[in-house]
């Protein structure tokens, strides 16, 4: 069994990004700049955004963290996004989701310039991805593709089963795996909350991507012998014995599934780290696009 270690794969991606950034600075160019917007103080979002900012620093990027209270007017948030769209020193903009209920996520996403949409959530980028055109790929599916590439996991001609159909992970993941690209060319089945016979379908997956957000949902009896298991879940589960009062759980019951798998991502330390690698790659790409490099 190969452990698909996100620390190893993300370190390799970040190393190449850092080299490119260093070369830019040596040529008297400015560094790529990511602006992250955080609304409210959701604990998980705080952690994710802090990690994104820290990773920017590690590869030599500039980052700006813009914070708003959870009761901020939608209009103020949209105006800030427009300001960042018009700021030539900013290459990538991300608004951490979820947002408070009174703010329309769709409006926020559509206000971000598609050229700075390093999360790849704008309908223009989503549409381009569907058509196989160059676009910003949502960071988590992009990170998973980078993971498959790093460990040279053969995908062509295999059956990939994706559990979850979110715009952030499941849907774009299914498009990438079915695309005619390296580490694509799978036959893909997407499963969701209305899928009958979910267990039988999962059992057919040479590759199984669990992205439904239910801790330890995928059990040993749902997994084909020798399957590649990609666990996208990162749910905080209350645990009084843990220092922080919670533990991070994936969507896969790792201890019972891993003996059956040919390769599996751990949680934490798997896909989460690759999401950041994907985001950094997108930010560098946004920078290059703006200078036509
Ligand atoms: N919330 C959960 N995942 C993501 C992500 O990849 N980007 C943003 N902006 N918010 C998220």
């Amino acid at each position: 069994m190969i452990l698909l270690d996100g620390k190893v794969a993300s370190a390799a991606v970040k190393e190449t990004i850092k080299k490119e950034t260093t070369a830019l600075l040596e040529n008297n160019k400015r560094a790529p700049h990511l602006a992250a917007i955080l609304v409210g103080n959701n604990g998980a979002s705080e952690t994710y955004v802090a990690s994104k900012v820290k990773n920017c620093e590690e590869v030599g990027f500039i980052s700006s963290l813009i914070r708003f209270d959870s009761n901020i007017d939608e209009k103020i948030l949209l105006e800030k996004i427009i300001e960042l769209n018009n700021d030539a020193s900013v290459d990538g903009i991300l608004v951490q989701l979820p947002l408070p209920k009174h703010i329309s996520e769709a409006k926020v996403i559509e206000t971000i310039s598609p050229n700075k949409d390093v999360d790849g959530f704008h309908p223009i980028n989503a549409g381009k991805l569907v058509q196989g055109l160059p676009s910003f790929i949502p960071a988590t599916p992009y990170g998973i593709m980078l993971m498959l590439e790093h460990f040279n996991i053969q995908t062509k001609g295999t059956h990939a089963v994706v559990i979850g159909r979110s715009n952030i992970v499941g849907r774009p993941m299914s498009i990438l795996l079915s695309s005619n690209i390296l580490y694509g060319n799978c036959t893909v089945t997407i499963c969701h909350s209305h899928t009958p016979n979910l267990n039988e379908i999962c059992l057919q997956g040479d590759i199984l991507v669990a992205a439904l957000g239910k801790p330890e949902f995928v059990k040993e009896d749902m997994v084909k012998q020798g399957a590649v298991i990609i666990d996208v879940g990162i749910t905080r589960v209350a645990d009084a014995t843990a220092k922080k009062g919670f533990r991070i759980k994936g969507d896969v019951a790792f201890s019972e599934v891993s003996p059956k798998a040919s390769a599996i991502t751990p949680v934490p330390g798997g896909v989460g780290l690759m999401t950041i690698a994907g985001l950094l790659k997108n930010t560098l790409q946004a920078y290059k696009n703006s200078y036509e490099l």
Side-chain angles (χ1 to χ4, degrees):
M1 189 270 290
I2 303 169
L3 186 73
L4 301 173
D5 189 338
K7 275 192 226 105
V8 174
S10 69
V13 174
K14 280 163 61 182
E15 195 50 42
T16 63
I17 295 173
K18 193 173 179 176
K19 276 195 187 131
E20 280 200 56
T21 310
T22 305
L24 289 169
L25 297 175
E26 281 168 2
N27 287 312
N28 297 318
K29 303 233 168 57
R30 70 168 176 84
H33 180 179
L34 174 71
I37 299 180
L38 178 58
V39 181
N41 50 10
N42 172 290
S45 293
E46 292 262 5
T47 308
Y48 299 148
V49 171
S51 181
K52 289 170 185 180
V53 166
K54 179 167 162 274
N55 275 270
C56 279
E57 279 165 23
E58 283 173 12
V59 297
F61 288 4
I62 302 161
S63 65
S64 304
L65 173 55
I66 299 140
R67 304 190 62 131
F68 290 110
D69 272 0
S70 59
N71 59 5
I72 189 192
D73 259 9
E74 183 183 88
K75 189 168 164 277
I76 307 273
L77 177 58
L78 298 181
E79 279 169 5
K80 185 69 196 177
I81 294 169
I82 292 165
E83 183 190 316
L84 296 169
N85 284 343
N86 294 327
D87 183 342
S89 74
V90 171
D91 303 292
I93 303 168
L94 79 80
V95 180
Q96 189 64 27
L97 304 179
L99 289 168
K101 288 210 165 46
H102 68 281
I103 297 176
S104 158
E105 285 190 358
K107 249 194 221 169
V108 166
I109 289 168
E110 287 180 38
T111 302
I112 298 172
S113 161
N115 299 326
K116 297 192 179 188
D117 169 38
V118 286
D119 260 329
F121 294 165
H122 193 289
I124 288 192
N125 282 313
K128 285 184 175 176
L129 179 65
V130 170
Q131 296 198 350
L133 300 169
S135 66
F136 293 114
I137 302 166
T140 300
Y142 191 14
I144 292 168
M145 297 308 281
L146 295 169
M147 173 86 99
L148 296 175
E149 183 181 341
H150 182 85
F151 290 100
N152 193 23
I153 302 289
Q154 294 308 304
T155 57
K156 188 159 73 177
T158 65
H159 182 192
V161 175
V162 178
I163 316 174
R165 55 181 162 182
S166 70
N167 288 341
I168 297 182
V169 186
R171 183 90 55 201
M173 192 72 243
S174 69
I175 292 162
L176 287 163
L177 287 171
S178 65
S179 295
N180 186 4
I181 53 174
L182 205 61
Y183 305 99
N185 285 306
C186 301
T187 301
V188 178
T189 305
I190 309 191
C191 301
H192 49 72
S193 48
H194 295 275
T195 301
N197 311 324
L198 181 82
N199 285 24
E200 286 96 293
I201 295 170
C202 290
L203 268 169
Q204 294 167 28
D206 302 303
I207 298 172
L208 182 61
V209 181
L212 69 160
K214 288 200 176 162
E216 304 194 327
F217 178 87
V218 175
K219 303 281 197 271
E220 177 269 338
D221 63 355
M222 296 165 70
V223 170
K224 183 176 178 176
Q225 184 69 43
V228 174
I229 309 293
I230 307 291
D231 188 350
V232 184
I234 22 172
T235 308
R236 292 180 169 198
V237 177
D239 183 343
T241 68
K243 231 197 245 163
K244 293 179 176 165
F246 64 85
R247 284 188 202 286
I248 302 289
K249 295 266 185 211
D251 287 351
V252 176
F254 185 91
S255 54
E256 61 179 86
V257 168
S258 55
K260 246 182 151 177
S262 62
I264 184 167
T265 61
V267 176
V271 169
L273 298 173
M274 298 313 294
T275 295
I276 294 185
L279 175 70
L280 297 174
K281 290 262 286 184
N282 278 342
T283 304
L284 181 58
Q285 190 59 52
Y287 173 99
K288 287 182 182 174
N289 293 350
S290 73
Y291 289 103
E292 296 183 354
L293 293 177

